[in-house]
Amino acid sequence: MNSLINQSFRKKFPLFTCKLKSSLAVIESPSVFLVERERKLQNVTPFDPFQFFNEHRKSRHCTVRNTKVMHTHLLKSAALHSNIFVANSLLGWYCRCAAMGDALKLFDTIGQPNVFSWNIIISGYNQNALLEDSWKIFCRMHSLGFEPNEITYGSVLSACTALQAPIFGKQVYSVAMKNGFFSNGYVRAGMIDLLAKNCSFEDALRVFHDVSCENVVCWNAIISGAVRNREYWVALDLFGQMCCGSFMPNSFTFSSILTACAALEELTIGKKVQGWVIKCGVEDVFVGAAIIDLYAKCGDMKEAVREFLQMPIRNVVSWTTVISGFVQKDDSISALKFFKDMREVGEEINNYTVTSVLTACGKPAMLDEAIQIHSWILKTGFYLDAAVGAALINMYSKIGALDLCELVFREVGNIKNLGAWFALISAFAQNQNPGGAIEFFLKMLEQSVRPDKFCTSSLLSIIGCLNLGRQIHCYTLKTGLVFDVSVGSSLFTMYSKSGCLEEAYQVFEKILDKDNVSWASMIAGCTEHGCADRAIQLFREMLFEEITPDQMTLTATLTACSVLRSLRKGKEIHGYALRFGIGKDIVVGGALVTMYSKCGILELASRVFDMLPQKDQIACSSLVSGYAQSGYIEKALLLFRDMLMSDLAIDSFTVSSVLGAIALLSRSGIGTQLHACITKMGLESDVSVGSSLLTMYSKCGSIEDCHKAFYQIEKPDLIGWTAMIVSYAQHGKGAEALRFYELMRKEGIKPDSVTFVGVLSACSHNGLVEEAYIHLNSMAKDYGIEPGYRHYACMVDLLGRSGRLKEAESFINNMPMKPDALLWGTLLAACKVHGDIELGKLAAKKVMELEPCDTGAYVSLSNICAEIGQWEEVLKIRNQMKGTGVKKEPGWSFV
């Protein structure tokens, strides 16, 4: 066939070859055109366009200049207009050299373009990323009535995929089906790829199952689509179906499946796939990189390195995979060593390699290495890459060097680099610097750079000002970011942290596609703000919407059950977790232990704890706290000892729980031993541990050790100051308690109701009546705290100690709330001390009315009467006790 065509061309262009020789001398590479300047004119071989284009189909000399020279000479002949092959070949050359404007002009001059002409121009636009032009050419082809073939449909579907235009793609596929291409593997693979890459994986599966697949390309498209959409088990199931048929997987298939196994951390399945790869002999550099990634993701870096060293050919992907694996294992030293080896062998380094290395250097102890890598990046020019610039900022952020983050941001220099803006704002957020984050967020707006969902979410995560949060909320409404699930979640979390639960719920309701993170955040927010019932209701709504809860959601709901002490609901959620196979999850298990402990069912808490495959810090701490709060002090201490022996991390919550248990025992010896252990662990400066320590020493009667424990706290908070004030007050050191109260106020810490109990108690022990009145009035006037029964009881006790019994009675009668038995009982005790019979009888009568079973009131009144010799009254009171069934409990002592 070729010889017949060649003969026809020689007949049509005998004179063209003579004119060609002189012009070809100006072309950059004359040898490409098989012309030798030394030949004599009579010896020149006649030019055959068909043979020329056929032989130079993949020529590297396809430049715009060469193509235009060829175009010029072809225009002088009849070849270009009379033979479609020549025109299509020249059109292909223009497309290959990216001269799409010239290609379109040439295409428009072709009198009768065939389907190959249309395919060449469409593919040319695709190859040069002019995807909209590719779509327009297809529409033009369709409107002119030209019949596309499978290549046309495949190319246009590829353009629609890159354009992220599934609607256009569906229209193209409809036309293809109408024209009988519904079973064509190339067309179907293109449609599957389009749907899978545009988040319509279910539609992609539907297209795949429409017709029985006879093409491995379709299988590869649907499997890779499943992996892209994180449907890893679906990918493995499809792979199983493919293998059961008569289709032999290729390297592309194996790469996708190994990626799925790596994501699932299914090393056993991955090894089976690797065995099949070896058996089929299809291992190439990409499959090898996927195998390395499998072992790295599964934590077996030794095997990953072994596979890497066995690879006959290593490329940048395989090197980067090993480096990333070491980064995931937090082995920065090995990652940097492999990077050094990679540079020494002269392997190509891309931006993925650099970002992995920068992640490895993101530690405070590796500042020197980070600066060296930064210098290398500046030297090699990688800092111009947007992803590398953002990774540099992230690296310095993790090191805690915010000044260097700003320096890198200025070096990047491109204000439109959204990744760098996001990295910088996130750096301020991670280092708890809201001022810097807000400043650069405003600069973004000034530079007309629109913050994306990542920037906005990061800023919202650290905002403590409700007014500013509302302004950002308005911005998200204006830009439409409010409908994004991450921004919406950050918004309602911001409102929740500010105490505006209703506003948080309103934002939550407006999120269209709520995920597990948003549900868990809202449930946790309700629980934290005293709406645990609402949290349980939200969990029910989540189930009604057929959303499967994950570990995080179940943990948040179990916390709500713990707050409510709702054993029944907690058991229901426990059953739900067991049903879905996550009942033994470490996080869920810890929450279950906490729930059963808070509900007082320590037997079930212990059983759940024993069933956990791995005991972590949270589960152990929860059970220790449960034992301590329920009075099982010995069990709490034994479990705490087991934690120490197992080298489990001990947090402040665990230590505080154990200290609380020791305080109940009043065993200062054990407390001193634990104090030494706390000092060894470096927790003595923690505010919660320090407060628990001084409370423990206070209950053991050692006020000096309380003082020492307080001054070990790095930054005492309200709880620490209050604990110290109460301790001094309880030990009769009222002056020291009041002095600490004044020091606390000078530190700018506002007291709470518990603090004032300690202050008023200190005034009572020192007989400071006027000062006590001043502090009582200060509660509401200066701090907006309404006094409670305990505060009024302190005042009555103070007045009683001072002998001002009538004033105490008047104080009780003029209280803004109805007196309780505690207040009258306090007055009764003062009457007994000062021998006021009549007022004592009145106080005792009030106590008996409010609490008829209060033994103390009867005994106190009987003792008062006995001291003044009113034995008839004593007998009357004793008979009254017998009539009401009240018995005096005998005293007892440990001594």
Side-chain angles (χ1 to χ4, degrees):
M1 181 69 183
N2 287 348
S3 62
L4 292 174
I5 296 174
N6 291 341
Q7 289 174 10
S8 64
F9 270 103
R10 292 190 188 101
K11 290 178 181 178
K12 289 183 179 180
F13 311 112
L15 299 176
F16 174 68
T17 54
C18 298
K19 298 178 182 179
L20 181 66
K21 182 181 180 241
S22 58
S23 299
L24 290 181
V26 300
I27 296 178
E28 295 174 359
S29 181
S31 60
V32 175
F33 298 92
L34 302 176
V35 177
E36 297 179 9
R37 187 175 296 181
E38 293 81 6
R39 287 186 180 179
K40 296 181 180 179
L41 185 60
Q42 59 272 20
N43 293 330
V44 172
T45 303
F47 177 72
D48 186 338
F50 177 84
Q51 183 179 354
F52 171 78
F53 283 120
N54 199 35
E55 291 178 355
H56 296 82
R57 188 179 303 165
K58 297 182 180 180
S59 174
R60 295 182 180 179
H61 303 284
C62 182
T63 63
V64 177
R65 183 183 178 193
N66 288 351
T67 307
K68 286 187 175 182
V69 170
M70 176 60 69
H71 191 175
T72 302
H73 286 287
L74 289 174
L75 283 172
K76 294 178 181 178
S77 68
L80 193 59
H81 300 290
S82 60
N83 192 284
I84 191 64
F85 170 79
V86 175
N88 287 346
S89 299
L90 185 62
L91 182 65
W93 273 48
Y94 273 122
C95 292
R96 283 168 57 195
C97 61
M100 292 310 299
D102 295 318
L104 184 60
K105 290 177 183 178
L106 172 61
F107 178 79
D108 290 336
T109 62
I110 300 175
Q112 294 182 344
N114 58 13
V115 68
F116 300 105
S117 310
W118 291 100
N119 288 347
I120 290 169
I121 192 71
I122 290 172
S123 298
Y125 279 123
N126 280 2
Q127 291 165 7
N128 291 283
L130 301 172
L131 306 169
E132 291 184 8
D133 294 310
S134 177
W135 168 252
K136 290 176 183 177
I137 289 293
F138 174 76
C139 293
R140 177 179 165 189
M141 178 184 184
H142 182 68
S143 63
L144 293 175
F146 283 91
E147 192 69 32
N149 61 11
E150 65 272 16
I151 304 298
T152 319
Y153 290 123
S155 298
V156 177
L157 286 171
S158 176
C160 294
T161 301
L163 282 170
Q164 297 182 354
I167 296 177
F168 291 167
K170 289 176 181 178
Q171 293 176 4
V172 172
Y173 191 63
S174 298
V175 174
M177 292 180 69
K178 181 181 177 182
N179 293 335
F181 287 94
F182 59 88
S183 62
N184 183 275
Y186 183 65
V187 176
R188 287 179 63 214
M191 190 61 194
I192 291 168
D193 188 54
L194 180 142
L195 293 171
K197 287 181 179 176
N198 287 278
C199 301
S200 299
F201 183 67
E202 290 183 2
D203 291 337
L205 269 176
R206 196 174 295 113
V207 170
F208 176 76
H209 290 302
D210 277 345
V211 181
S212 60
C213 186
E214 301 294 336
N215 194 321
V216 71
V217 177
C218 289
W219 284 100
N220 285 344
I222 194 64
I223 290 172
S224 64
V227 173
R228 179 182 292 275
N229 287 274
R230 299 183 180 181
E231 298 285 351
Y232 304 117
W233 286 112
V234 176
L236 291 174
D237 182 59
L238 287 166
F239 179 69
Q241 295 176 33
M242 179 183 182
C243 296
C244 289
S246 57
F247 301 99
M248 177 60 68
N250 57 21
S251 61
F252 188 87
T253 321
F254 284 121
S255 297
S256 298
I257 289 301
L258 287 166
T259 301
C261 294
L264 292 169
E265 297 185 12
E266 281 287 344
L267 186 58
T268 303
I269 300 175
K271 285 183 176 180
K272 293 178 180 178
V273 175
Q274 183 187 5
W276 200 349
V277 168
I278 296 170
K279 182 179 179 181
C280 297
V282 293
E283 183 172 0
D284 57 16
V285 67
F286 300 105
V287 175
I291 292 172
I292 295 170
D293 186 53
L294 167 70
Y295 285 109
K297 291 278 178 65
C298 294
D300 191 350
M301 284 308 301
K302 183 178 180 181
E303 189 64 28
V305 171
R306 193 176 73 85
E307 290 292 334
F308 173 79
L309 296 175
Q310 288 180 352
M311 292 180 69
I313 300 175
R314 301 166 196 149
N315 63 359
V316 62
V317 177
S318 53
W319 279 97
T320 304
T321 303
V322 175
I323 293 172
S324 299
F326 280 118
V327 173
Q328 291 167 13
K329 289 282 288 183
D330 200 27
D331 188 352
S332 301
I333 303 300
S334 298
L336 291 176
K337 178 183 179 300
F338 263 81
F339 179 64
K340 179 184 177 183
D341 295 342
M342 185 179 181
R343 289 176 58 200
E344 287 177 352
V345 299
E347 182 59 68
E348 174 194 0
I349 296 173
N350 59 22
N351 57 346
Y352 296 104
T353 318
V354 178
T355 53
S356 295
V357 173
L358 289 172
T359 305
C361 295
K363 296 179 180 179
M366 300 192 70
L367 179 60
D368 292 339
E369 290 81 357
I371 293 174
Q372 291 177 30
I373 296 294
H374 187 177
S375 303
W376 176 83
I377 288 171
L378 289 170
K379 182 179 178 181
T380 54
F382 271 108
Y383 73 96
L384 297 173
D385 185 271
V388 172
L392 269 169
I393 296 173
N394 285 328
M395 175 188 70
Y396 284 125
S397 169
K398 291 177 181 177
I399 292 173
L402 287 177
D403 53 338
L404 293 176
C405 290
E406 293 188 57
L407 175 65
V408 172
F409 181 78
R410 288 193 296 270
E411 281 179 359
V412 172
N414 182 6
I415 63 170
K416 299 298 180 181
N417 182 356
L418 194 59
W421 285 100
F422 165 61
L424 187 62
I425 290 173
S426 296
F428 284 112
Q430 291 167 7
N431 287 275
Q432 298 301 310
N433 188 335
I438 293 165
E439 177 189 350
F440 276 91
F441 187 84
L442 295 176
K443 284 183 179 180
M444 280 187 78
L445 299 177
E446 291 173 3
Q447 297 288 348
S448 299
V449 181
R450 179 176 173 177
D452 62 358
K453 58 183 180 182
F454 302 108
C455 294
T456 310
S457 299
S458 293
L459 184 62
L460 286 168
S461 67
I462 58 167
I463 285 181
C465 175
L466 184 59
N467 184 39
L468 180 61
R470 284 178 173 147
Q471 293 180 45
I472 296 176
H473 187 182
C474 293
Y475 173 80
T476 62
L477 287 168
K478 182 180 178 181
T479 57
L481 285 172
V482 70
F483 299 109
D484 178 80
V485 65
S486 61
V487 175
S489 297
S490 299
L491 264 174
F492 74 69
T493 302
M494 182 272 298
Y495 280 122
S496 177
K497 287 193 297 185
S498 302
C500 303
L501 196 61
E502 286 303 320
E503 290 182 75
Y505 186 70
Q506 289 173 10
V507 175
F508 173 76
E509 281 190 315
K510 291 179 181 178
I511 299 176
L512 299 178
D513 297 319
K514 302 179 184 70
D515 59 3
N516 269 295
V517 176
S518 54
W519 282 102
S521 299
M522 194 67 238
I523 290 171
C526 289
T527 304
E528 289 168 6
H529 290 84
C531 298
D533 283 322
R534 196 169 183 178
I536 300 295
Q537 182 59 36
L538 278 172
F539 180 72
R540 290 197 184 101
E541 292 176 12
M542 181 180 181
L543 297 180
F544 287 145
E545 294 191 16
E546 298 183 350
I547 298 175
T548 304
D550 61 0
Q551 293 94 325
M552 185 168 47
T553 319
L554 290 175
T555 302
T557 312
L558 284 168
T559 304
C561 295
S562 300
V563 171
L564 293 171
R565 303 290 197 274
S566 177
L567 181 61
R568 184 179 63 83
K569 292 175 182 175
K571 282 184 174 180
E572 289 176 0
I573 295 173
H574 189 181
Y576 189 91
L578 290 171
R579 179 184 172 191
F580 282 88
I582 54 177
K584 295 183 180 180
D585 179 82
I586 297 174
V587 178
V588 176
L592 282 168
V593 172
T594 303
M595 185 271 297
Y596 284 124
S597 298
K598 291 285 180 68
C599 293
I601 314 299
L602 289 170
E603 182 181 352
L604 287 177
S606 178
R607 191 181 304 173
V608 172
F609 180 80
D610 292 337
M611 289 172 62
L612 292 176
Q614 184 179 353
K615 276 73 173 174
D616 69 342
Q617 170 192 345
I618 297 173
C620 290
S621 299
S622 299
L623 192 56
V624 168
S625 177
Y627 281 140
Q629 292 171 6
S630 299
Y632 295 98
I633 311 302
E634 185 177 350
K635 287 186 176 181
L637 293 175
L638 288 174
L639 182 56
F640 180 73
R641 185 197 65 181
D642 292 341
M643 289 181 69
L644 291 174
M645 295 180 67
S646 300
D647 291 329
L648 280 175
I650 307 294
D651 62 358
S652 56
F653 175 77
T654 312
V655 173
S656 299
S657 298
V658 176
L659 285 169
I662 294 172
L664 293 174
L665 287 175
S666 298
R667 299 280 295 275
S668 60
I670 299 176
T672 304
Q673 293 178 36
L674 184 56
H675 192 172
C677 182
I678 289 168
T679 304
K680 185 178 180 181
M681 291 186 289
L683 291 174
E684 73 279 358
S685 61
D686 183 89
V687 64
S688 62
V689 173
S691 300
S692 299
L693 264 174
L694 68 90
T695 301
M696 183 269 297
Y697 280 127
S698 174
K699 290 187 177 180
C700 293
S702 179
I703 193 67
E704 292 78 10
D705 289 325
C706 288
H707 193 268
K708 292 176 182 177
F710 177 81
Y711 280 106
Q712 283 182 337
I713 302 172
E714 186 175 355
K715 291 182 179 180
D717 63 355
L718 175 61
I719 297 173
W721 283 99
T722 300
M724 198 65 218
I725 292 168
V726 171
S727 296
Y728 273 125
Q730 288 174 348
H731 285 77
K733 296 181 178 293
E736 287 86 348
L738 295 176
R739 182 174 63 84
F740 258 79
Y741 174 68
E742 293 302 324
L743 287 173
M744 184 188 81
R745 291 178 61 191
K746 288 180 181 179
E747 291 290 328
I749 298 174
K750 293 182 179 180
D752 64 359
S753 60
V754 180
T755 312
F756 278 107
V757 170
V759 171
L760 293 173
S761 178
C763 292
S764 176
H765 286 293
N766 274 33
L768 304 173
V769 179
E770 301 305 325
E771 287 83 348
Y773 274 116
I774 291 172
H775 288 305
L776 184 69
N777 295 328
S778 173
M779 288 179 65
K781 181 181 177 181
D782 298 332
Y783 302 104
I785 302 171
E786 292 297 327
Y789 285 110
R790 294 181 66 190
H791 304 102
Y792 290 125
C794 288
M795 288 300 299
V796 173
D797 181 58
L798 171 59
L799 294 170
R801 286 171 184 264
S802 303
R804 299 159 68 165
L805 300 179
K806 290 295 182 183
E807 186 178 343
E809 181 189 8
S810 176
F811 182 85
I812 292 174
N813 290 327
N814 293 323
M815 280 170 48
M817 60 179 68
K818 186 178 179 180
D820 64 354
L822 172 65
L823 290 164
W824 287 113
T826 304
L827 181 59
L828 174 59
C831 291
K832 182 186 176 219
V833 172
H834 295 283
D836 193 328
I837 308 298
E838 296 302 322
L839 186 57
K841 287 182 178 180
L842 174 65
K845 181 181 178 182
K846 293 290 186 180
V847 175
M848 293 173 191
E849 288 176 358
L850 293 169
E851 291 187 7
C853 297
D854 187 347
T855 307
Y858 291 97
V859 173
S860 295
L861 183 57
S862 174
N863 291 339
I864 292 174
C865 295
E867 286 179 5
I868 60 174
Q870 295 184 357
W871 298 108
E872 292 181 1
E873 287 293 328
V874 172
L875 186 59
K876 184 178 177 181
I877 294 169
R878 295 293 175 91
N879 290 332
Q880 190 177 355
M881 288 178 67
K882 291 178 181 178
T884 56
V886 178
K887 292 183 180 180
K888 181 181 182 298
E889 294 291 336
W892 58 278
S893 172
F894 277 117
V895 181

